[in-house]
Amino acid sequence: MFPPQFDYHRASSIDDALELLERHAADDPRILAGGHSLLPDLKNGRASPRALVDIGEIDALRGIGSGADVESGADSGADETAIGALTTYADILESDRLQRHAPVLTDATSVLADLQIRNRGTIGGNLTAAEPGADLPAATLAADATVRVRGPDGERAIDAAAFLGADGSEPALRERELVTEVRVPHVEAGGYAKKTHPASGYAMVGVAAVLETDDGTITDARVAATGVLERVVRLAAVEDALVGARVESKTIEAAAERAGETIEPADARSDDHASGEFRVHLLSTYAERALERAVDRVAAGAGGTGTAGDLE
Ligand SMILES: Cc1cc2nc3c(=O)[nH]c(=O)nc-3n(C[C@H](O)[C@H](O)[C@H](O)COP(=O)(O)OP(=O)(O)OC[C@H]3O[C@@H](n4cnc5c(N)ncnc54)[C@H](O)[C@@H]3O)c2cc1C
């Protein structure tokens, strides 16, 4: 399959990218980052823009650090980490700061696709494409991240749920808006567990979990799933069962059992490899695994080792 004809524009800065998007508005311009979702879309005819704006050389969009200093990666001790939109999965995996403060994100990234894609794909592209079964939407939703964008109406900060349309609404990104960075609040512990789809490598089911505890009691829990619906979704019944409970195996198991409660099998995605009913059935197992990883990190005092793939 050949992509349609388009004009290619390389942006030298964020302002330049916004100006190019505005100038070529009539050509339905699309932003090109890692290209691993957009190029297949062009070749399959799912997208047919007449202009592409390549942001790949904008250094200001790349890097991991405190909110004040994404480019240098400096650790200011702030209670959140900013990740530039063009930061690759490989960069995320190399970040000690994220491993320490946002393990749900590094866990999810560690089982994302293969080496080539991890070297090219970007967090901004992953969240904007938000393909069903993509790993980072669930992780950023559980992490309660904020997505910062710039566009014709200036700068906006959008919470991950609204950005991704996790409540069933349309994703919040507007035409000709550029994602500039993702801000992830620091959390005590998190984990991600994925049943990899044998054909695509995306998640057949993926569950991301984040826990906050106080003296052995769970004070906050955010659990999100990908692969089951066309969009990511919070598993509210699991969260409700966790908050106020003790950090114990039997609590985790009982809470995870409730993972499929809010999703009708008839609404779930279905293909030759897994019916909607099977996907909903898998949710409890993968919720329990993700929560176990988070609990291990509570016990270890955050951080921890291994990959979410070890659980497969
Ligand atoms: C074989 C294969 C296997 C894959 N497996 C997985 C997997 O297991 N898990 C997973 O999560 N993903 C998987 N992916 C998807 C991959 O992670 C993509 O890299 C990702 O979805 C898109 O990121 P990108 O940087 O390549 O974005 P692009 O493809 O360049 O862009 C994707 C979309 O986002 C828009 N966009 C990009 N950056 C911005 C920005 N800064 N602001 C506004 N809009 C922007 C583009 O216009 C486009 O619409 C797979 C892809 C392939 C080809």
Side-chain angles (χ1 to χ4, degrees):
M1 295 279 248
F2 295 101
Q5 290 278 327
F6 53 80
D7 290 328
Y8 171 87
H9 306 277
R10 181 178 290 161
S12 57
S13 65
I14 295 175
D15 286 338
D16 189 32
L18 294 174
E19 203 272 320
L20 283 166
L21 289 168
E22 210 51 46
R23 196 182 333 146
H24 299 284
D27 292 331
D28 188 22
R30 295 289 286 272
I31 291 165
L32 175 66
H36 276 81
S37 285
L38 185 55
L39 293 188
D41 281 354
L42 294 177
K43 290 183 172 186
N44 290 330
R46 286 193 296 260
S48 45
R50 290 177 301 284
L52 289 191
V53 175
D54 185 350
I55 59 171
E57 294 198 346
I58 306 179
D59 287 340
L61 289 175
R62 204 186 305 274
I64 297 167
S66 72
D69 200 2
V70 171
E71 283 170 71
S72 74
D75 187 337
S76 71
D79 58 3
E80 65 178 17
T81 290
I83 307 170
L86 210 52
T87 305
T88 63
Y89 311 130
D91 295 333
I92 289 172
L93 286 174
E94 279 175 11
S95 166
D96 289 340
R97 182 182 173 106
L98 288 174
Q99 177 67 45
R100 215 168 40 249
H101 298 303
V104 68
L105 196 63
T106 48
D107 247 22
T109 310
S110 73
V111 289
L112 193 158
D114 55 28
L115 192 63
Q116 285 93 331
I117 289 171
R118 291 203 286 272
N119 281 333
R120 291 288 306 171
T122 67
I123 186 169
N126 192 294
L127 297 182
T128 306
E131 311 246 17
D135 299 290
L136 298 194
T140 48
L141 184 60
D144 204 17
T146 303
V147 181
R148 298 177 81 90
V149 307
R150 276 184 59 188
D153 302 325
E155 196 165 1
R156 300 197 291 146
I158 310 169
D159 64 63
F163 185 85
L164 297 162
D167 58 0
S169 58
E170 280 296 304
L173 192 70
R174 297 176 190 146
E175 275 186 24
R176 302 194 296 287
E177 278 187 326
L178 174 78
V179 176
T180 53
E181 67 182 39
V182 180
R183 293 204 180 180
V184 187
H186 293 174
V187 291
E188 184 184 0
Y192 183 77
K194 171 181 183 177
K195 172 70 182 163
T196 301
H197 193 290
S200 70
Y202 284 86
M204 180 182 282
V205 167
V207 179
V210 162
L211 294 179
E212 297 286 354
T213 66
D214 183 17
D215 199 20
T217 297
I218 298 168
T219 54
D220 196 10
R222 292 188 298 276
V223 184
T226 184
V228 185
L229 299 177
E230 294 297 320
R231 58 183 170 83
V232 281
V233 60
R234 289 271 291 267
L235 301 179
V238 180
E239 297 172 349
D240 290 347
L242 288 168
V243 175
R246 302 289 297 167
V247 186
E248 291 167 353
S249 301
K250 63 177 187 210
T251 313
I252 298 304
E253 200 182 322
E257 279 292 315
R258 302 185 58 185
E261 261 181 30
T262 45
I263 301 179
E264 284 296 327
D267 295 336
R269 299 172 67 227
S270 172
D271 60 21
D272 289 346
H273 295 272
S275 65
E277 196 178 359
F278 183 55
R279 280 181 160 87
V280 173
H281 174 75
L282 287 177
L283 269 178
S284 293
T285 302
Y286 286 84
E288 187 175 345
R289 291 178 180 188
L291 286 165
E292 278 170 359
R293 288 185 68 79
V295 167
D296 286 349
R297 285 180 166 123
V298 171
T305 56
T307 72
D310 296 342
L311 295 163
E312 285 284 341

